[in-house]
Amino acid sequence: MTSVSQAILYATIMKGWNVAMTAHRGSVTKAEHFHKLHDAGPMPLVLVNVWDAASARVVEEAGATAIATSSSAVSWSLGFRDGDHVPWGLAMAALGRIAGATRLPVSADIETGYGRTDDELRATVHAVLDEGAVGINIEDSATEPLTDINEQSRRIALIRAVADDRGIPLFINARTDTYLSGQFAETAYDETLRRAEAYLTAGADGIFVPGVVDLHVLHELSSRIPAPLNALAGVGAPSPLELHDAGVRRVSIGGNTAKAAYAKVARVAKEILGDGNWAGLAGTRSHDEMDSLFAPGPKYSL
């Protein structure tokens, strides 16, 4: 190899290394910032969940401080039912487009991990980090009944180990469906505390308890769980401020954003296909406004 060839090869390697290191530093910075967003403050972290690049940019433009995906919304947008049905590759590709479209920290809803084996779970965590996300939701509702507490704790510990090996302080939001599943009619509160303690010991950073919006219950849970508590909200739920006063530090709305968007599409379609009424299109964003959400790039060519 000539000295010129060696110089070119060295320059190529160093360029790749610099790109990788820059991306790593960016992920670490975003992850650290995302952790801080869960700290106690005048309001909780409010997440309007998204499913594609456009919804992520619209939410960012509206003033969001972070972006979180909704697994149900991502699944529906890709033509699949919710609940671990969307293929792994499609889910990760969608996450990459979302993370690439926003400057904000992104948290990925990975359902039960998109894999049954340890190697599959490791692959998911690596892919999530490679795509630029700095947080995840991991849930214990894969089976009926819920995933065994020891097994779920082991999987959370595995996720933590992978992220630590990568040097990225991934925010692990451990979701437990003790209330949402309806399996613990009389013992949901105690079971939630039991699982929260185990998941936090295993390496989780926050606890997500969907299915409960009772302010008294949330207050009791937040006072007993030594980590940010995440509540799922929607129509009829207390306001973010009320949830904050009950001790909730993170509020998300899951697939409700997508449901609202698709309901709007259905109403417009029915009006147009029914009596030809165009009124449903009033107030929509212009073509230029939509284009302005994204940076200009080269046109596609064969």
Side-chain angles (χ1 to χ4, degrees), residues 90 117 163 246 265 280:
L90 290 180
T117 70
V265 173

Side-chain angles (χ1 to χ4, degrees), residues 110-159:
I110 62 170
E111 304 191 60
T112 61
Y114 295 124
R116 298 181 182 277
T117 70
D118 287 358
D119 285 343
E120 289 171 337
L121 182 57
R122 287 190 188 94
T124 295
V125 179
H126 279 298
V128 165
L129 296 174
D130 289 342
E131 297 297 353
V134 296
I136 61 164
N137 273 17
I138 179 76
E139 61 194 60
D140 58 13
S141 58
T143 56
E144 187 79 29
L146 301 189
T147 304
D148 175 76
I149 189 171
N150 292 322
E151 171 60 13
Q152 187 68 1
S153 297
R154 189 189 66 81
R155 287 169 66 82
I156 290 171
L158 185 153
I159 293 170

Side-chain angles (χ1 to χ4, degrees), residues 190-212:
D190 291 333
E191 183 67 16
T192 300
L193 292 180
R194 193 168 75 93
R195 287 177 176 265
E197 181 181 10
Y199 297 168
L200 291 172
T201 300
D205 299 289
I207 300 296
F208 182 22
V209 189
V212 54

Side-chain angles (χ1 to χ4, degrees), residues 89-250:
L90 290 180
M92 293 302 107
L95 174 61
R97 286 192 289 272
I98 290 168
T102 177
R103 59 179 178 78
L104 299 177
V106 174
S107 182
D109 182 348
I110 62 170
E111 304 191 60
T112 61
Y114 295 124
R116 298 181 182 277
T117 70
D118 287 358
D119 285 343
E120 289 171 337
L121 182 57
R122 287 190 188 94
T124 295
V125 179
H126 279 298
V128 165
L129 296 174
D130 289 342
E131 297 297 353
V134 296
I136 61 164
N137 273 17
I138 179 76
E139 61 194 60
D140 58 13
S141 58
T143 56
E144 187 79 29
L146 301 189
T147 304
D148 175 76
I149 189 171
N150 292 322
E151 171 60 13
Q152 187 68 1
S153 297
R154 189 189 66 81
R155 287 169 66 82
I156 290 171
L158 185 153
I159 293 170
R160 172 55 64 210
V162 172
D164 286 351
D165 285 345
R166 292 282 296 267
I168 297 174
L170 180 72
F171 191 101
I172 301 175
N173 200 37
R175 167 177 154 174
T176 181
D177 284 356
T178 45
Y179 282 90
L180 192 64
S181 66
Q183 295 175 31
F184 304 92
E186 304 297 328
T187 61
Y189 177 78
D190 291 333
E191 183 67 16
T192 300
L193 292 180
R194 193 168 75 93
R195 287 177 176 265
E197 181 181 10
Y199 297 168
L200 291 172
T201 300
D205 299 289
I207 300 296
F208 182 22
V209 189
V212 54
V213 291
D214 182 284
L215 292 174
H216 175 72
V217 174
L218 289 170
H219 175 73
E220 292 300 313
L221 287 173
S222 68
S223 67
R224 297 284 300 278
I225 297 174
L229 179 64
N230 185 178
L232 180 67
V235 176
S239 69
L241 182 57
E242 290 172 315
L243 291 169
H244 169 269
D245 290 345
V248 173
R249 293 292 169 261
R250 172 168 166 167

